[in-house]
């Protein structure tokens, strides 16, 4: 079993873009843009999956998974994504940290099947 | 400026343990144990920092940062941490995914200082 909101990923290695951010109180289309960015990312070559959560205090972590650094670079250069990042700086975020990492090993566990899926 | 709840990290490379998990509805000391694990992790050699968030639906992401794979291994073998993980499987989690990654590059941005801190 592999329930939402978990990303179903291949065996490592692959890449993770870890984005942690504190939101401002400004909405102004944030939700729709965030949804659109996920939808658009899913269409990009090399996109593997995404997991995302935001707490009530406005602090959130999104981890997007990609099959290569080239795929990450191409997504970074995507015009609509670039415009969204500019709005993020202008309006939506107080602070953010972005870390790009190479996933070496992965391990999953589910109460239902009690079977671990080990990768890498 | 580098506000809470962000981890203040050195220049890459370093390692990230990305833990995404869906909670059960069982509390039974979860909060106190989670806090204790963060407190204990901070005391371990090679611990660099942690960022964590859980949404109202019980899905959460915690990313812990370490200076080496040896440090991650040692923490994994820590007796109190091992006991807590067993309780996690027995009571607290429905599903989790654990990914171990090497952070290659990092970038931060703050509305206050508008100055990017680039690393790696």
């Amino acid at each position: 079993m592999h329930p939402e909101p978990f990303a179903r990923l291949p065996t490592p290695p692959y890449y993770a873009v870890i984005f942690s951010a504190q939101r401002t109180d400004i909405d102004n289309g944030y939700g729709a843009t965030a949804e659109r960015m996920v939808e658009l990312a899913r269409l990009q070559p090399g996109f593997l999956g995404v997991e995302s959560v935001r707490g009530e205090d406005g602090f959130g972590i999104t981890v997007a998974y990609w099959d290569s650094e080239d795929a990450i670079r191409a997504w970074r250069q995507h015009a609509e994504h670039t415009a969204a990042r500019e709005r993020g700086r202008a309006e939506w975020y107080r602070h953010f940290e972005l870390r790009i990492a190479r996933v070496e090993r992965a391990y999953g566990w589910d109460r239902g099947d009690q079977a671990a899926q080990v990768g890498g």
Side-chain angles (χ1 to χ4, degrees), chain A:
Chain A
M1 204 184 112
H2 206 96
E4 284 291 332
F6 292 91
R8 180 187 284 279
L9 301 176
T11 300
Y14 47 79
Y15 288 83
V17 178
I18 307 165
F19 179 72
S20 57
Q22 182 70 49
R23 288 267 286 107
T24 59
D25 298 326
I26 301 166
D27 183 71
N28 209 3
Y30 169 78
T33 301
E35 275 176 38
R36 169 67 181 156
M37 286 306 111
V38 169
E39 190 182 286
L40 199 59
R42 288 191 196 284
L43 302 175
Q44 306 309 306
F47 178 83
L48 299 177
V50 62
E51 294 175 355
S52 189
V53 55
R54 187 166 306 281
E56 288 177 70
D57 60 355
F59 179 70
I61 300 177
T62 296
V63 190
Y65 294 96
W66 299 85
D67 72 0
S68 69
E69 295 199 86
D70 279 350
I72 294 169
R73 203 170 297 121
W75 171 235
R76 183 177 160 71
Q77 287 163 3
H78 189 289
E80 198 174 335
H81 182 210
T82 299
R85 287 202 311 278
E86 283 166 9
R87 293 201 59 200
R89 286 187 176 80
E91 301 187 85
W92 293 322
Y93 296 118
R94 253 189 240 295
H95 186 102
F96 66 73
E97 299 287 333
L98 187 77
R99 288 140 186 154
I100 297 175
R102 183 179 192 269
V103 177
E104 311 278 359
R105 296 193 303 285
Y107 171 85
W109 179 86
D110 189 88
R111 176 166 304 280
D113 56 30
Q114 299 272 336
Q117 303 92 40
V118 182

